[in-house]
Amino acid sequence: MSSASVCTQCGSNNIQLDPHFCLEQQICTDCGFVLEEGSFQNDPTRAFQSQQSQIALPLKYRQHNNFREHVSKARRDGALRVEEISAMLRVTSDVMVEEAKTLFTQAFNLKVLNKAKREKKRVLPGCVVYIVCRQHDWPILLSDMWDLLQCRDSVFYSVYKVILAELDITITVPEIETVVPSVIQKCGFTFDLSDEQMKAVTQIVCLAKNTWITCGRRYDPIIIASVFLVWKAEDYAKRKKTSIPKFCRQIKFGTQVLPMVRSRVQEFEGLFLKLVSEIPWVETGQIDKKNIVCYLSDILRYEKTLLAGKYGDSDLESDDEERELQEKILPPSMTNRKPKSDVRDTDSMTSKVSVAVSYSTELDENDIPDSELHKYIRSTKEVMMVEDAQKSAQEYEEENPLKRKDSSSSRKTRKRKISDVENTP
Amino acid sequence: MDGTPFRQDQPQGQVRPGFQVQPQFGVTYTTQLPPSQFLPPPPPAAEPMLQTMPTSELQNQPVSGSLVPDMTTVRTQMHYQPGQQQQDKANSQNKSQEHSQPSSGLTPGFSNTPGVPHSHSHSSSGGTSSLYPATPAPMTPMTPATPAEGSGIVPQLQNIVSTVNLGCKLDLKKIALHARNAEYNPKRFAAVIMRIRDPRTTALIFSSGKMVCTGAKSEDQSRLAARKYARVVQKLGFPCKFLDFKIQNMVGSCDVKFPIRLEGLVLTHAQFSSYEPELFPGLIYRMVKPRIVLLIFVSGKVVLTGAKVREEIYEAFETIYPILKGFRKTS
């Protein structure tokens, strides 16, 4: 539609474009004369063009729907979810929220996640928020996220790994001492920890880090075990009989982490016993795992000196390997070696014996001797017995039809077959 | 069987065709041997250990490849049988080739190594007598070369997964009915699960005639077990063959005997490592060359998986060992 500059009726220059409903018109504002009106066919401003059809969509429709930047409902909801999760984690920085939204858009457009199950798409906003928090060095753990999102750890981790791999992002695990306050707050203990106690807990956690206890382990049980020892040491006379399960009951997820907390406490007590033996004014004869917490303050005060005495040449190729394992500070998995009692160890000898194997495509008697072959094939009598048992089982099922419990057969309609032929040697 | 650099059950004969290993890798083998003073003297006579090929064909096979794994460790642990002298003579040609190899120190990094050509697929097609064993023969013991900077640790194979095509359709119900040690529950899984005791393995047999064999500790054991399963199925009345046997995956493990700082390793090798203690206690190291996945634990145990041939496992371990040594101390 060519734009006219002068009204042909009154000669005025005041020409305006008026989007009259869905059709543009050039109108003189002085006399109201319609100079020119747009055409659906000749309208150059088309947001949607197809080779088949020359009809342009009306302007209002295009403006309202914004075809060029159409956003799907899932993406809109995901962006809102990012904001909600950020609010739950108290992410006050707008920059971080915007980064999370941008990352969500990038992750949402990944082909791998586009075809993923709904369960994975639901955890995508949480993954994105976690990545942004870690990029800004927030002391947040993966377990915090899947507790918050109420999702499975495997699902969350699978989506998380896909995002890191596809978008080439590197995220490091936070240091354990940085997450101590957040974990203690998450546990919700019935008592408050003073500054000195918090400092002692952090010191124990750092000691655990230097003595291999934290390597490859979850952080929560280690921190809870440290709090237990500090709490017990504060008033040993009253609290010496408090058991670990009783202590863990006050934690929201205490029952889940109880076994790990118990083993961490035992490892701490073993470590403290090793270190306290280096203190000259302590008589080690009367110290055991129960009252070792009484010497916690001394151990933490002289930690570096005590560790220097225990750490030496960690070469384990000496003859007295067992003594090394007991005296030196090593990862618990190295010191708690159990004797292997696997049945397969007896087969390790057979792997040393030479094996005669044929490379032919035809099978013959040399592949397996007849004496061994007969062990794996049923006799005629056995086959008849099994067939009789199957028939009687089938008749019983037909007389007493049971409801199917397995979900795998709920979609497909198959005939019920007696197929549970389980044989044990 | 610690410290044995290669299989005991290798067929006798020549080195696998096309098996050309770089000198560094060849030196790796020699450095894995114990010192010579611990080696017993060679036995006077021994029988052929394996009878995979006629002797005439063994002698006619060309000696290719530059690597001949050293036999000194084998001598300490092999069960020699009379007739071994014949094999020693057959392999004596290899000695001259071995000595010509440079015995320089092992370069810690394998980045310049083009890599071992892995043309070790076992060709099962063709005639009986024309088949060439795809595995190298047990080598003649020789004086070990000057020990270079090697780990001295040899990963042990723990599991081998292989597949084979039996070449005919199978009635799984009939197999489950007539075979002992067989499980079949189509509601749970559409295959018969069969087990044998020697070698201790498990097989998944599908109605299409394809079979998966798991649990063997060596390549030949896996092939032997697969043949046993195929023979059992053949005895049940099916026209089975043994086509396209292929090893799909090999798993090895070893112990470096010192603790490893996983947090330090993930910081320096972030592009290859994945360490999430919340999920798994080990560090997952995805090596690019060779394409092996390693599970590294704080206790020093290392699991290597994803290999098609055992040399990939050895190469991967020799590549990772100097890296792990760097994270041995706490400070």
Side-chain angles (χ1 to χ4, degrees), chain A residues 138-417:
Chain A
W138 273 41
I140 185 170
L141 298 171
L142 275 175
S143 54
D144 298 337
M145 292 310 299
W146 62 61
D147 287 340
L148 184 71
L149 299 173
Q150 294 291 310
C151 65
R152 288 189 294 161
D153 52 358
S154 56
V155 172
F156 186 91
Y157 188 66
S158 64
V159 177
Y160 172 67
K161 289 306 292 181
V162 162
I163 297 172
L164 293 185
E166 295 287 329
L167 300 179
D168 198 19
I169 300 171
T170 306
I171 299 293
T172 54
V173 179
E175 302 291 335
I176 187 171
E177 51 266 24
T178 58
V179 301
V180 167
S182 61
V183 169
I184 290 175
Q185 192 179 5
K186 185 173 69 171
C187 290
F189 291 107
T190 54
F191 53 88
D192 292 328
L193 288 168
S194 62
D195 292 340
E196 287 183 5
Q197 286 175 320
M198 281 295 291
K199 192 180 169 187
V201 168
T202 309
Q203 270 186 298
I204 293 176
V205 161
C206 291
L207 176 63
K209 192 177 168 184
N210 293 333
T211 53
W212 302 100
I213 291 178
T214 61
C215 202
R217 265 86 176 275
R218 282 182 59 178
Y219 291 168
D220 294 351
I222 296 170
I223 296 170
I224 296 170
S226 308
V227 171
F228 171 72
L229 292 170
V230 168
W231 173 82
K232 197 173 173 183
E234 191 196 358
D235 195 352
Y236 179 72
K238 285 183 184 176
R239 297 169 183 170
K240 62 181 176 182
K241 290 188 179 178
T242 305
S243 64
I244 299 169
K246 192 176 176 183
F247 181 82
C248 287
R249 262 183 236 131
Q250 60 181 312
I251 305 169
K252 292 172 193 173
F253 48 90
T255 49
Q256 297 172 15
V257 297
L258 175 60
M260 290 183 277
V261 172
R262 188 183 280 128
S263 72
R264 293 303 96 80
V265 168
Q266 287 174 358
E267 286 168 10
F268 276 133
E269 288 168 350
L271 172 68
F272 294 155
L273 279 175
K274 280 185 189 174
L275 294 178
V276 85
S277 60
E278 300 284 325
I279 301 176
W281 58 84
V282 171
E283 294 180 5
T284 55
Q286 295 179 354
I287 301 176
D288 58 5
K289 285 190 175 182
K290 291 180 183 176
N291 56 16
I292 188 65
V293 290
C294 300
Y295 302 92
L296 192 58
S297 56
D298 285 338
I299 292 169
L300 294 177
R301 191 180 304 167
Y302 306 107
E303 171 193 332
K304 288 182 183 174
T305 312
L306 299 174
L307 279 178
K310 284 295 177 186
Y311 274 120
D313 193 6
S314 61
D315 185 12
L316 291 179
E317 293 176 1
S318 64
D319 295 335
D320 207 353
E321 192 174 318
E322 287 188 9
R323 186 179 63 84
E324 289 262 0
L325 284 172
Q326 286 173 8
E327 291 189 358
K328 297 291 181 186
I329 295 175
L330 294 166
S333 52
M334 289 185 82
T335 53
N336 298 337
R337 285 178 184 171
K338 295 177 184 177
K340 290 183 183 177
S341 58
D342 195 359
V343 178
R344 287 179 181 250
D345 286 343
T346 57
D347 295 334
S348 64
M349 296 302 296
T350 59
S351 64
K352 298 180 188 176
V353 178
S354 61
V355 173
V357 57
S358 169
Y359 285 75
S360 165
T361 56
E362 300 298 324
L363 301 162
D364 54 16
E365 296 173 353
N366 293 328
D367 292 315
I368 178 171
D370 287 340
S371 57
E372 190 181 346
L373 187 63
H374 288 307
K375 290 181 193 174
Y376 300 125
I377 296 179
R378 284 197 173 118
S379 61
T380 316
K381 191 179 175 184
E382 285 179 14
V383 171
M384 286 171 59
M385 286 169 62
V386 170
E387 281 179 331
D388 291 339
Q390 286 177 1
K391 279 180 189 172
S392 57
Q394 191 175 9
E395 287 170 3
Y396 181 79
E397 276 193 24
E398 285 173 359
E399 288 173 6
N400 303 309
L402 296 173
K403 287 183 182 178
R404 292 195 175 193
K405 290 182 182 178
D406 51 333
S407 59
S408 61
S409 56
S410 60
R411 291 181 185 176
K412 297 181 183 176
T413 53
R414 288 183 292 178
K415 290 182 181 178
R416 294 176 66 181
K417 295 179 182 177

Side-chain angles (χ1 to χ4, degrees), chain A residues 90-155:
Chain A
R90 299 184 187 175
V91 178
T92 53
S93 166
D94 293 336
V95 173
M96 286 176 67
V97 175
E98 286 305 315
E99 281 181 21
K101 285 183 181 176
T102 310
L103 187 60
F104 174 78
T105 308
Q106 291 175 4
F108 189 84
N109 293 330
L110 291 174
K111 284 184 182 177
V112 178
L113 291 176
N114 209 13
K115 298 179 182 177
K117 290 184 182 177
R118 199 175 295 176
E119 191 184 10
K120 289 191 177 180
K121 288 181 181 173
R122 274 198 212 113
V123 302
L124 184 57
C127 292
V128 158
V129 173
Y130 174 78
I131 289 171
V132 170
C133 288
R134 285 301 307 142
Q135 283 176 335
H136 288 263
D137 235 352
W138 273 41
I140 185 170
L141 298 171
L142 275 175
S143 54
D144 298 337
M145 292 310 299
W146 62 61
D147 287 340
L148 184 71
L149 299 173
Q150 294 291 310
C151 65
R152 288 189 294 161
D153 52 358
S154 56
V155 172

Side-chain angles (χ1 to χ4, degrees), chain A residues 130 141-143 146 153-154 157 160-161 170 172-173 209-212 214-220 311-316 321 330-331 333-334 337 343-344 347 350-365 367-370 372-379 382-383 386-387 390 406 408 414 417-425, chain B residues 1 8-9 11 49-52 77 81 122-126 128 131-135 173 176-188 195-198 200 215 217 220-221 223-224 227-228 230-232 234-236 240-243 255 257-263 267 270 274-281 298-301 327-330:
Chain A
Y130 174 78
L141 298 171
L142 275 175
S143 54
W146 62 61
D153 52 358
S154 56
Y157 188 66
Y160 172 67
K161 289 306 292 181
T170 306
T172 54
V173 179
K209 192 177 168 184
N210 293 333
T211 53
W212 302 100
T214 61
C215 202
R217 265 86 176 275
R218 282 182 59 178
Y219 291 168
D220 294 351
Y311 274 120
D313 193 6
S314 61
D315 185 12
L316 291 179
E321 192 174 318
L330 294 166
S333 52
M334 289 185 82
R337 285 178 184 171
V343 178
R344 287 179 181 250
D347 295 334
T350 59
S351 64
K352 298 180 188 176
V353 178
S354 61
V355 173
V357 57
S358 169
Y359 285 75
S360 165
T361 56
E362 300 298 324
L363 301 162
D364 54 16
E365 296 173 353
D367 292 315
I368 178 171
D370 287 340
E372 190 181 346
L373 187 63
H374 288 307
K375 290 181 193 174
Y376 300 125
I377 296 179
R378 284 197 173 118
S379 61
E382 285 179 14
V383 171
V386 170
E387 281 179 331
Q390 286 177 1
D406 51 333
S408 61
R414 288 183 292 178
K417 295 179 182 177
I418 301 171
S419 54
D420 293 339
V421 183
E422 293 188 355
N423 308 298
T424 53
Chain B
M1 192 170 162
Q8 296 287 351
D9 51 3
M49 288 177 65
L50 295 170
Q51 297 174 357
T52 56
Q77 304 199 17
Q81 299 175 10
H122 293 185
S123 167
S124 57
S125 57
T128 310
L131 288 171
Y132 194 84
T135 51
K173 276 189 73 178
L177 180 63
H178 290 267
R180 292 178 192 150
N181 300 343
E183 299 173 25
Y184 181 49
N185 190 352
K187 285 188 282 187
R188 196 190 308 163
R195 295 182 174 86
I196 59 172
R197 294 187 194 90
D198 181 35
R200 187 182 286 271
K217 299 284 187 186
D220 282 343
Q221 283 195 8
R223 179 181 285 268
L224 177 69
R227 291 189 75 90
K228 286 190 178 182
R231 180 73 177 147
V232 169
Q234 190 185 56
K235 267 291 184 178
L236 296 178
C240 293
K241 292 192 175 181
F242 198 77
L243 307 172
D255 188 359
K257 298 277 197 311
F258 55 80
I260 301 165
R261 273 284 166 208
L262 302 181
E263 298 95 350
L267 279 175
S274 169
Y275 174 56
E276 292 290 342
E278 299 273 316
L279 277 163
F280 188 66
V298 65
S299 59
K301 302 273 197 310
F327 296 96
R328 184 172 177 170
K329 299 286 185 182
T330 54

Side-chain angles (χ1 to χ4, degrees), chain B:
Chain B
M1 192 170 162
D2 295 330
T4 310
F6 50 86
R7 309 193 298 278
Q8 296 287 351
D9 51 3
Q10 296 169 3
Q12 294 172 347
Q14 307 299 326
V15 175
R16 191 173 311 172
F19 184 69
Q20 295 184 0
V21 185
Q22 298 303 317
Q24 293 93 343
F25 195 65
V27 169
T28 303
Y29 268 108
T30 57
T31 57
Q32 292 170 352
L33 302 171
S36 57
Q37 63 265 26
F38 297 116
L39 299 173
E47 281 176 355
M49 288 177 65
L50 295 170
Q51 297 174 357
T52 56
M53 291 177 63
T55 311
S56 59
E57 288 206 15
L58 286 173
Q59 291 173 352
N60 290 335
Q61 289 295 336
V63 176
S64 61
S66 57
L67 168 69
V68 176
D70 202 314
M71 280 290 290
T72 49
T73 305
V74 177
R75 181 174 289 176
T76 61
Q77 304 199 17
M78 263 173 50
H79 174 61
Y80 274 87
Q81 299 175 10
Q84 183 65 26
Q85 267 187 346
Q86 296 179 9
Q87 302 309 319
D88 293 346
K89 285 178 185 174
N91 294 324
S92 61
Q93 300 174 19
N94 301 330
K95 272 189 188 179
S96 56
Q97 292 189 6
E98 289 168 2
H99 286 297
S100 65
Q101 292 301 321
S103 59
S104 57
L106 169 69
T107 55
F110 275 77
S111 56
N112 295 328
T113 308
V116 178
H118 304 298
S119 57
H120 302 156
S121 59
H122 293 185
S123 167
S124 57
S125 57
T128 310
S129 59
S130 61
L131 288 171
Y132 194 84
T135 51
M139 298 304 158
T140 309
M142 57 178 283
T143 307
T146 307
E149 294 181 7
S151 61
I153 304 168
V154 181
Q156 299 299 310
L157 292 180
Q158 302 295 341
N159 184 28
I160 292 177
V161 178
S162 58
T163 55
V164 69
N165 185 6
L166 301 181
C168 64
K169 298 292 179 192
L170 303 175
D171 184 358
L172 299 185
K173 276 189 73 178
K174 185 182 174 186
I175 293 172
L177 180 63
H178 290 267
R180 292 178 192 150
N181 300 343
E183 299 173 25
Y184 181 49
N185 190 352
K187 285 188 282 187
R188 196 190 308 163
F189 190 58
V192 167
I193 302 168
M194 195 181 288
R195 295 182 174 86
I196 59 172
R197 294 187 194 90
D198 181 35
R200 187 182 286 271
T201 50
T202 304
L204 304 175
I205 304 171
F206 295 86
S207 58
S208 61
K210 302 277 176 69
M211 185 172 73
V212 180
C213 177
T214 64
K217 299 284 187 186
S218 72
E219 295 92 323
D220 282 343
Q221 283 195 8
S222 185
R223 179 181 285 268
L224 177 69
R227 291 189 75 90
K228 286 190 178 182
Y229 287 115
R231 180 73 177 147
V232 169
V233 174
Q234 190 185 56
K235 267 291 184 178
L236 296 178
F238 298 96
C240 293
K241 292 192 175 181
F242 198 77
L243 307 172
D244 303 327
F245 176 82
K246 187 183 176 186
I247 289 176
Q248 302 291 348
N249 187 28
M250 301 175 82
V251 181
S253 69
C254 58
D255 188 359
V256 299
K257 298 277 197 311
F258 55 80
I260 301 165
R261 273 284 166 208
L262 302 181
E263 298 95 350
L265 181 58
V266 76
L267 279 175
T268 52
H269 292 77
Q271 65 268 36
F272 307 113
S273 309
S274 169
Y275 174 56
E276 292 290 342
E278 299 273 316
L279 277 163
F280 188 66
L283 184 144
I284 303 168
Y285 192 99
R286 297 184 185 272
M287 194 175 283
V288 174
K289 196 169 179 304
R291 198 156 172 268
I292 299 289
V293 175
L294 297 94
L295 303 178
I296 303 167
F297 297 90
V298 65
S299 59
K301 302 273 197 310
V302 180
V303 175
L304 306 98
T305 183
K308 289 280 193 284
V309 291
R310 64 167 62 206
E311 286 78 18
E312 286 180 345
I313 289 184
Y314 296 153
E315 186 182 347
F317 180 71
E318 291 300 324
T319 306
I320 201 72
Y321 185 74
I323 299 169
L324 297 180
K325 274 175 75 175
F327 296 96
R328 184 172 177 170
K329 299 286 185 182
T330 54
S331 58

